[in-house]
Amino acid sequence: MLVDSPPEQRAETAPAPPTRRAIRAFGLLVSVGVLLLVALASIAIGAKALPLDQVWHGLFHDSGTYADVVVGDRISRTVLGLLAGAALGLSGAVLQALTRNPLADPGLLGINAGASAAVVTAITYFGVTSLSGYVWFAFLGAAAVGALVWFLGGSRGATPVRLALAGTAISAALYGYLQAVMIMDGAALGKMRFWTVGSLASATDSTIEQVAPFLAVGTLVALALARPLNAVAMGDDTARALGANLNRTRALSMAAATVLCGAATAACGPIVFVGLMVPHAVRSFTGPDLRWILPYATVLSPVLLLGADVLGRMVARPAELQVGIVTAVLGGPVFIFLVRRRRTAQL
């Protein structure tokens, strides 16, 4: 005769449910797998259709054929997309935590505007025509605006509201300057038109080598700020009670976001919505813990950027749509949805 085990024994032998930490770790592993698949698609798919056997040959052989050259260009484009996407997503997540605004992005603090204004200045007044020249001017412009926003926002007494207001004011002034210069100088308009849209098409090994060190440093600093930013996100008083150094955390966060977004913008031009959409979407799965938001944003932002780039190559063959156009088209409706959902939740 079978006798049921006592409830206590059944509870001890029953398998434990997966913890939230295990679910997040598994989700991050799946995200890495999705990123690898999108990266392979970016190499295999382009405006110029190539058979898979030629793509495979181009990956592992270097015989100088047309297919090998095309695949080599796609590899550089994919690597830059990986780096720039991770930088934009990570900088967006840091700025959302810093400003306590889940709809913030790098453009909120004027970083994109600083890079764009510096590039149009380089073209108009210094005769710079190469992408390698754009990179350094764009990065310096982004860094200068980041420092100016920090100063106008109160430097050691900076608050999220002051930083956002300073960034908005500087952005408006710089975009006014940019438009004025481009209207008065037709040559600058022609040269800036392609860069300001945002594209991965001009990716080269040289560009990657120039921005990679900045992206590596910015990524390490941003990931190291996860714990103190968690404290800052709970409010100044709570952060002080937890022992967080508010001024140091905000200064390092501004520096990391400026380096990341500035380097990505310098290499690809201003690409919108990636730094807004991905961290916001990730937060709905991970919760407010930045120790998970930052790694997820680092992995999934390149998925969005490379996916948009592949889509832009497919929809307009044999030409292509720049990735900045595709992310703007996709991001506009998503942003409206997020704003409406946030407004409904507050009612």
Side-chain angles (χ1 to χ4, degrees):
M1 179 178 178
L2 297 175
V3 179
D4 290 339
S5 301
E8 295 82 2
Q9 184 177 347
R10 291 200 301 270
E12 291 177 358
T13 58
T19 63
R20 185 171 179 82
R21 183 184 182 88
I23 294 174
R24 289 169 173 170
F26 177 74
L28 187 59
L29 184 62
V30 172
S31 300
V32 172
V34 173
L35 177 59
L36 291 175
L37 292 175
V38 174
L40 290 174
S42 178
I43 296 172
I45 302 172
K48 172 65 176 179
L50 289 177
L52 289 179
D53 61 329
Q54 293 188 27
V55 173
W56 180 267
H57 187 275
L59 283 172
F60 299 103
H61 302 84
D62 187 15
S63 59
T65 66
Y66 174 77
D68 296 340
V69 173
V70 170
V71 172
D73 291 342
R74 290 181 187 175
I75 292 175
S76 297
R77 184 170 182 162
T78 300
V79 171
L80 183 60
L82 290 171
L83 296 176
L88 291 172
L90 197 53
S91 62
V94 168
L95 291 177
Q96 288 177 11
L98 179 64
T99 60
R100 299 175 199 152
N101 180 0
L103 298 180
D105 74 336
L108 181 67
L109 297 185
I111 298 173
N112 287 345
S116 299
V119 171
V120 77
T121 300
I123 292 172
T124 304
Y125 299 109
F126 296 98
V128 178
T129 58
S130 66
L131 183 62
S132 59
Y134 296 169
V135 166
W136 292 105
F137 275 92
F139 181 76
L140 291 174
V145 169
L148 183 59
V149 168
W150 176 250
F151 174 75
L152 294 179
S155 57
R156 294 181 63 85
T159 63
V161 174
R162 287 180 179 178
L163 291 174
L165 290 175
T168 302
I170 292 173
S171 294
L174 289 178
Y175 278 124
Y177 162 77
L178 189 150
Q179 294 298 325
V181 172
M182 292 173 66
I183 289 173
M184 292 187 296
D185 189 340
L189 174 62
K191 295 173 183 176
M192 279 288 294
R193 185 169 49 192
F194 183 77
W195 187 84
T196 54
V197 170
S199 173
L200 299 176
S202 299
T204 63
D205 293 341
S206 175
T207 302
I208 294 171
E209 291 171 359
Q210 291 180 68
V211 300
F214 297 104
L215 295 177
V217 172
T219 299
L220 292 176
V221 173
L223 292 176
L225 289 171
R227 194 177 295 273
L229 277 174
N230 272 340
V232 171
M234 291 187 286
D236 291 0
D237 294 337
T238 303
R240 291 191 186 96
L242 293 173
N245 187 321
L246 291 176
N247 291 326
R248 183 176 63 188
T249 300
R250 285 174 178 155
L252 288 175
S253 298
M254 277 290 300
T258 299
V259 169
L260 288 168
C261 183
T265 303
C268 309
I271 298 176
V272 296
F273 288 119
V274 175
L276 183 152
M277 288 191 292
V278 176
H280 190 89
V282 162
R283 191 176 293 106
S284 63
F285 173 73
T286 64
D289 191 348
L290 284 156
R291 292 174 299 176
W292 289 101
I293 292 175
L294 296 182
Y296 265 96
T298 304
V299 174
L300 290 178
S301 296
V303 172
L304 173 61
L305 187 62
L306 287 177
D309 190 43
V310 172
L311 181 61
R313 292 183 238 171
M314 295 175 63
V315 298
R317 284 179 172 173
E320 65 177 72
L321 287 177
Q322 283 73 28
V323 66
I325 297 175
V326 180
T327 57
V329 171
L330 295 176
V334 172
F335 181 74
I336 294 172
F337 169 76
L338 293 176
V339 171
R340 288 184 60 84
R341 189 178 69 171
R342 179 172 172 80
R343 181 181 178 185
T344 302
Q346 291 176 342
L347 294 178

